[in-house]
């Protein structure tokens, strides 16, 4: 029997699934988890497409969205916009 490596990006195949995934990470994760999740979503959509929409190079995106990175807030906002997301604040 062979096993393959699990890649969440393979399952992020609709806007609804992407939104649910990111919202869950925002609620339960830390800043590193959020950056990693945004990277998974960008990979699922396609780094070339995200690169074109943000004006950032593919290598810069991979670096900014890799584990342990600390991207600038402006970069995160550009990528969020490119993946079709937005930030909203609701009272808790």
């Amino acid at each position: 029997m062979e096993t393959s490596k699990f890649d969440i990006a393979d399952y992020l195949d609709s806007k609804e699934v992407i939104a649910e995934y990111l919202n869950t990470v925002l609620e339960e994760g830390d800043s590193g988890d959020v950056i990693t999740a945004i990277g998974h979503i960008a990979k699922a959509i396609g780094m070339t497409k995200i690169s074109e929409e943000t004006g950032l190079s593919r290598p810069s995106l991979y670096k900014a969205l890799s584990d342990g990175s600390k991207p600038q807030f402006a970069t995160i906002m550009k990528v969020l916009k490119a993946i079709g997301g937005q930030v909203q604040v609701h009272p808790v």
Side-chain angles (χ1 to χ4, degrees):
M1 177 165 53
E2 269 187 53
T3 59
S4 59
K5 185 176 179 183
F6 176 79
D7 188 350
I8 188 71
D10 294 337
Y11 300 92
L12 300 173
D13 55 2
S14 72
K15 289 180 180 182
E16 293 78 19
V17 171
I18 288 170
E20 185 64 32
Y21 172 61
L22 188 54
N23 284 329
T24 299
V25 174
L26 284 166
E27 286 178 25
E28 299 175 4
D30 60 20
S31 61
D33 295 333
V34 172
I35 293 166
T36 300
I38 292 170
H40 291 152
I41 295 165
K43 182 179 174 189
I45 293 171
M47 283 295 193
T48 300
K49 181 177 179 183
I50 301 300
S51 174
E52 291 168 356
E53 291 188 28
T54 61
L56 301 167
S57 70
R58 288 182 65 217
S60 294
L61 284 171
Y62 279 111
K63 183 177 177 183
L65 301 174
S66 65
D67 287 336
S69 68
K70 296 189 187 263
Q72 293 182 359
F73 187 71
T75 300
I76 294 299
M77 293 304 292
K78 285 180 185 180
V79 175
L80 278 175
K81 185 175 180 182
I83 64 175
Q86 61 182 351
V87 177
Q88 293 184 352
V89 177
H90 299 278
V92 290

